[in-house]
Amino acid sequence: MRASRKCWLICTLTLLLASPAEAYIGPGIGAGAIALVLGVLTAIGMAFVAILWYPLKRLLKLDNKVSSGRKGNNTDADLDATSPETKTSSDAN
C-alpha cells in the first residue's frame, strides 16, 4: 500500500508542477480534427450498413416472399413474369 501512495504523490506533483505549453493551435487544426472524427464515425457507420444491414434486409425480403407464397397470394407464374406460361401470342413474335 505504501508504494501505491508514493505513486499517487509523484503523479499528483508532476501534474501540478507542469508548465503550460507555449503553443498555438489554429482554427485549421480544429476543423481538421472535427473532420477526422466525423470521417471515422461515417466510415464505421457505412461499414455497419454494408456488412450488417443489407444482408439482413435481403433476408427479410426473402422471408416475406416465402410467407406470402404460402398463403396462396402469389403463384410461380406471378413471381416469374418471363415464364412461357405467361407469354401471350403477341409476345411470341
Side-chain angles (χ1 to χ4, degrees):
M1 179 111 92
R2 182 134 173 101
S4 174
R5 286 187 183 181
K6 187 176 181 181
C7 181
W8 277 106
L9 180 64
I10 290 172
C11 289
T12 304
L13 288 175
T14 302
L15 290 174
L16 289 175
L17 298 175
S19 61
E22 299 293 333
Y24 172 72
I25 298 176
I29 295 295
I34 291 171
L36 175 73
V37 169
L38 290 177
V40 168
L41 291 176
T42 301
I44 291 171
M46 294 299 287
F48 171 75
V49 168
I51 293 172
L52 296 176
W53 176 246
Y54 284 128
L56 184 63
K57 186 176 172 183
R58 184 176 176 199
L59 181 67
L60 291 174
K61 278 187 177 180
L62 288 177
D63 188 36
N64 253 353
K65 285 183 180 178
V66 169
S67 65
S68 65
R70 286 182 188 156
K71 292 177 185 174
N73 294 340
N74 295 330
T75 62
D76 289 339
D78 291 337
L79 295 175
D80 186 13
T82 61
S83 66
E85 296 85 18
T86 60
K87 288 188 179 181
T88 62
S89 62
S90 63
D91 291 339
N93 294 334

